[in-house]
Amino acid sequence: MKTIIANNRQVQIVEENIPKVVADYVLIKTVFSVISPGTEISMLTQSEGQRFALGYSALGKIIECGEGTEPFQKGDLIACYGAPYVRHSEYLLVPKTLCRKIPDSVDPKEGALGGLGAIAIHALRIANLQFGETAIVAGLGILGQLLAQIAHAASYQVIPYDISPERASQFQSITGIKSMTTAEQLEDQIQRQTEGQGADAVFLCAGGKKSSLTTDSLKWIRDKGKVIIVGDIEPLFPRNLMFSKEAQILISRAGGPGRYDPIYEKNAVDYPYGFVRWTEGRNVGEYLRLLAQKKINVTPYVQDVTLLEKVEEAFQSLMTNHQSLTKVIQYEEGVDV
């Protein structure tokens, strides 16, 4: 099978053996996977002298079920999330805890965004906001746009912000939510929308070292407000601003409880529902529910489809064209799903 890797700062397609199914795992023939530019381009640039598998969000058909994988069945169309089990590869052997069957009404390409959707949902859960509170989403890449749409669906008052006029305009055209492109616009909107109190939370969905966003975010929040780090941004927060507002600085780790826990992932042992209501797998399922009920619109994000054989060009395009949010990899042309 063909698998996409980062090798010495180059994207390569390599041949690997198709994995054999084992208990509590399903073997999936991949139909689509989605490139997460922030994570994967960072991995690519850090791969000098090393090899990394790329990717973590995909969709495919189950071709074989291991023992104990009920209610999954052969032929089910599955959204799955979480490296190293999920990656850009023609076949995936995935623990049942990281899979969710997609509803019939969901477009498969949109379902392939399940991993990114789970990450956005988990960030919102970390913030623990209340109905009607104000959330600034700073950075409108694919993750920021998903997060802002889901926050709006949850009835938070969303203020989107990105210095890229193209990304702000795209989000505004999809959602109808006024999007800011300058700090002055943003601060004026905060003043009007919160009656001068400040936002309840800022979600930092951008990346970068020594970004001014970390300092600015403390100016934008209310007294005892929250800043949630979602993107790969350096957490440099001035103490005086943190102290003056008794600000809460939180960081969101991937798609939810279970991530990086070998018991939950490798051993495929789910957490008890009554004790851990929202695992990473359940967050993928919630993303799919939002799609099925048309609470969010991700159709514009999955229009740029590339075949597996052209994936090197796709990554190069994402590195040079910063207005492109993502690309969907299709593994077999003309497949009916």
Side-chain angles (χ1 to χ4, degrees):
M1 67 178 187
K2 292 181 173 63
T3 297
I4 299 165
I5 66 166
N7 183 15
N8 203 27
R9 305 184 80 170
Q10 298 292 321
V11 175
Q12 294 182 354
I13 300 174
V14 297
E15 286 287 344
E16 295 183 342
N17 294 326
I18 298 174
K20 297 184 182 300
V21 74
V22 295
D24 299 316
Y25 281 62
V26 295
L27 182 61
I28 295 170
K29 189 172 193 283
T30 312
V31 178
F32 299 111
S33 64
V34 176
I35 298 174
S36 175
T39 300
E40 295 180 48
I41 291 174
S42 176
M43 291 179 69
L44 185 59
T45 58
Q46 294 172 27
S47 67
E48 187 167 353
Q50 302 181 71
R51 290 165 56 106
F52 298 136
L54 293 171
Y56 61 79
S57 187
L59 176 139
K61 276 189 177 179
I62 295 179
I63 59 172
E64 193 173 353
C65 292
E67 293 182 12
T69 54
E70 298 80 6
F72 297 120
Q73 298 178 4
K74 183 178 178 179
D76 284 347
L77 199 58
I78 295 294
C80 52
Y81 158 65
Y85 314 98
V86 180
R87 51 193 177 138
H88 301 310
S89 186
E90 289 184 298
Y91 293 87
L92 302 168
L93 184 64
V94 186
K96 62 184 180 183
T97 46
L98 300 180
C99 298
R100 284 298 182 274
K101 184 176 177 180
I102 76 162
D104 292 339
S105 60
V106 170
D107 182 298
K109 291 194 296 296
E110 297 179 10
L113 282 164
L116 287 152
I119 293 169
I121 288 169
H122 180 58
L124 287 164
R125 297 198 194 286
I126 287 290
N128 194 29
L129 296 177
Q130 300 297 314
F131 176 84
E133 291 191 327
T134 300
I136 297 168
V137 180
L140 296 175
I142 183 62
L143 184 56
Q145 295 215 14
L146 286 172
L147 192 152
Q149 282 207 45
I150 295 167
H152 179 65
S155 292
Y156 304 145
Q157 298 188 64
V158 178
I159 305 177
Y161 171 61
D162 197 300
I163 59 173
S164 163
E166 291 82 6
R167 289 189 173 185
S169 176
Q170 179 191 38
F171 184 77
Q172 186 166 319
S173 68
I174 293 170
T175 64
I177 302 171
K178 186 176 181 181
S179 303
M180 313 301 148
T181 58
T182 68
E184 292 75 20
Q185 286 180 337
L186 176 61
E187 288 162 10
D188 183 59
Q189 184 68 14
I190 295 167
Q191 179 71 21
R192 291 199 311 270
Q193 192 161 313
T194 70
E195 297 180 344
Q197 296 294 331
D200 297 283
V202 177
F203 293 87
L204 297 177
C205 297
K209 304 295 183 183
K210 297 183 178 179
S211 171
S212 62
L213 278 175
T214 50
T215 297
D216 291 341
S217 64
L218 293 171
K219 299 174 183 176
W220 299 334
I221 58 171
R222 62 169 171 85
D223 188 54
K224 296 182 172 60
K226 303 169 184 176
V227 178
I228 301 91
I229 302 169
V230 186
D232 184 16
I233 196 167
E234 191 73 17
L236 298 174
F237 295 94
R239 185 185 184 280
N240 62 324
L241 285 174
M242 290 174 61
F243 181 84
S244 66
K245 290 187 175 178
E246 201 172 26
Q248 297 182 56
I249 310 296
L250 305 168
I251 190 163
S252 177
R253 186 177 69 175
R259 192 71 185 113
Y260 309 115
D261 178 359
I263 303 300
Y264 178 89
E265 293 188 330
K266 184 177 181 180
N267 296 347
V269 177
D270 203 354
Y271 296 145
Y273 193 87
F275 289 89
V276 185
R277 176 63 181 87
W278 293 109
T279 61
E280 56 181 331
R282 292 174 194 138
N283 282 336
V284 172
E286 179 62 9
Y287 164 77
L288 296 174
R289 183 189 72 84
L290 291 170
L291 282 183
Q293 296 186 0
K294 302 191 184 306
K295 302 290 187 183
I296 57 176
N297 175 17
V298 305
T299 302
Y301 307 143
V302 294
Q303 298 307 303
D304 198 347
V305 180
T306 183
L307 291 173
L308 175 63
E309 292 75 16
K310 297 183 178 179
V311 73
E312 294 174 59
E313 298 171 25
F315 271 92
Q316 188 61 39
S317 174
L318 286 169
M319 285 189 285
T320 55
N321 178 11
H322 300 296
Q323 305 313 318
S324 181
L325 298 185
T326 185
K327 291 183 184 291
V328 178
I329 303 171
Q330 184 172 352
Y331 286 79
E332 193 173 342
E333 194 169 10
V335 171
D336 182 14
V337 294

